[in-house]
Structure formats: structure tokens, C-alpha cells
Amino acid sequence: MNFLAHLHLAAHTRSSLTGNLLGDFVKGPLPTGLAAHFDEGIWLHRKIDAFTDNHPEHKAAVACFEAPWRRFGGIVVDMIYDHWLSQHWGLFRTEPLPRFLQHSYDQLLADHPHLPNGLPLPLTRMAEQNWIASYRHREGLGQALNGIGRRLRRPVLLGEALLTLDESQWQKCAAGFLRFYPALMDFSEQQLAHFRAAQEAE
């Protein structure tokens, strides 16, 4: 549910902001029957998730959590990545984060009527309530994780996982993110270029 990273990578690659977020909600094969630019975003979202989950830096960050939190490590690390992205935003985009978020929310809400079932409710609420802005602070990040934890089959206070990392582990994982994220940006660009070239060749 690392919405900020997916929005940023969508903007970075000039692909659909909404399509990239739909990847968390639309399952099954492509094409989906949605507009082509939404399908492109869903495709890119899936590639980004696979690359992230299999990257050594991401795996190392997950490994920082002991039982019972490690089983939720993928969810927690994805959210922490949004925290670090917001903390280091200026390294990756010149547009100020508040302006970027407002533009993104406006686009999501504008796309709502063009989706057969409308925008998924979590995305609508995110856009209307500006959830992502809270990720910049550890307290807001913990609250967001608790919100996710409440929706699990067996509810758990996921935010408590953050308290298990000491400052050394926190800084080590943050440094890993700063090594990882530029590689993810390059990967996203390359994958989308290949995808578009393949579409044009058909």
C-alpha cells in the first residue's frame, strides 16, 4: 500500500497516476477492459512490486524485524519506504511534495467517473483526506500502519513494529532505501519503455 512511491513513479515515467494505484485493487490478467492507460499503469505497478519484493535492500529491511513482526515485514517496509521517500523528496523530484500530492489527488478524483465501478473507496478517502501527508512523520506512519492492521483477518497493531527497530537499524534501513530507490526509478523507466515499444509493434 505504498501509495506515494507508486504515484511518484507514475509521474516519473509519465504514466497514469490512477492506473498505477489501481494495481493494488485490480487482479487478474490484462487487458482488464479498462482504458489502455489504466492497464498500462496496472502493468507497471505489478512490475514495480515484483522488483521491490525481490530486491536485496528490501529483503534486508524486512529481516530487521523479529517474530512476530517479520511475517508482516513486507507491508511494514513498503510503508516505511513511503516515509523515507517523503523525508527525502527533494532528492527525487523538484516539485514540492504538497503540490505534487494535490495534483495527484485532483487527477484521481477526476478519473473517478471514467472507471466502471468508480475509484476504490480507500483511494477516494486518501484523496479527500490527504492520508499521504501524515507518512512524513513516524507518528503518522504508525497510525497508518495501525489502520492497515485493523483490516487484516486477525487485526493487529502494526504500528508497534516500528518500535522494535533501534536507531542504528532505522538508519541502516534508511540508507538501504536511498541506494534502492534510484534503481527502482531506472527500472520503472526501462520496463515502461519496453512495454510501450511492444504495444506499438503489435
Side-chain angles (χ1 to χ4, degrees), residues 25-90:
F25 302 92
V26 176
K27 309 302 180 183
L30 297 174
T32 61
L34 299 174
H37 64 286
F38 292 140
D39 275 356
E40 180 186 83
I42 294 167
W43 180 90
L44 181 59
H45 179 113
R46 294 174 181 178
K47 289 292 184 180
I48 289 168
D49 280 358
F51 180 85
T52 299
D53 290 344
N54 288 292
H55 197 280
E57 295 290 1
H58 188 274
K59 290 182 176 181
V62 170
C64 286
F65 293 94
E66 302 292 341
W69 301 111
R70 188 172 294 180
R71 63 180 295 206
F72 306 108
I75 298 172
V76 175
V77 170
D78 281 352
M79 291 294 291
I80 294 175
Y81 275 9
D82 266 6
H83 167 75
W84 285 322
L85 178 55
S86 66
Q87 288 274 313
H88 300 284
W89 182 257

Side-chain angles (χ1 to χ4, degrees), residues 109-123:
L109 295 174
D111 282 338
H112 178 86
H114 303 292
L115 296 167
N117 298 314
L119 200 64
L121 184 58
L123 298 184

Side-chain angles (χ1 to χ4, degrees), residues 3-5 8 78-93 95-98 100-101 131-138 140-141 170 177-178 181:
F3 293 146
L4 179 57
H8 174 258
D78 281 352
M79 291 294 291
I80 294 175
Y81 275 9
D82 266 6
H83 167 75
W84 285 322
L85 178 55
S86 66
Q87 288 274 313
H88 300 284
W89 182 257
L91 295 177
F92 306 111
R93 194 169 181 87
E95 181 183 14
L97 180 57
F100 173 82
L101 288 176
W131 290 353
I132 294 176
S134 70
Y135 297 176
R136 183 176 178 85
H137 307 286
R138 288 198 203 185
L141 177 63
W170 187 267
F177 167 78
L178 292 174
Y181 199 72

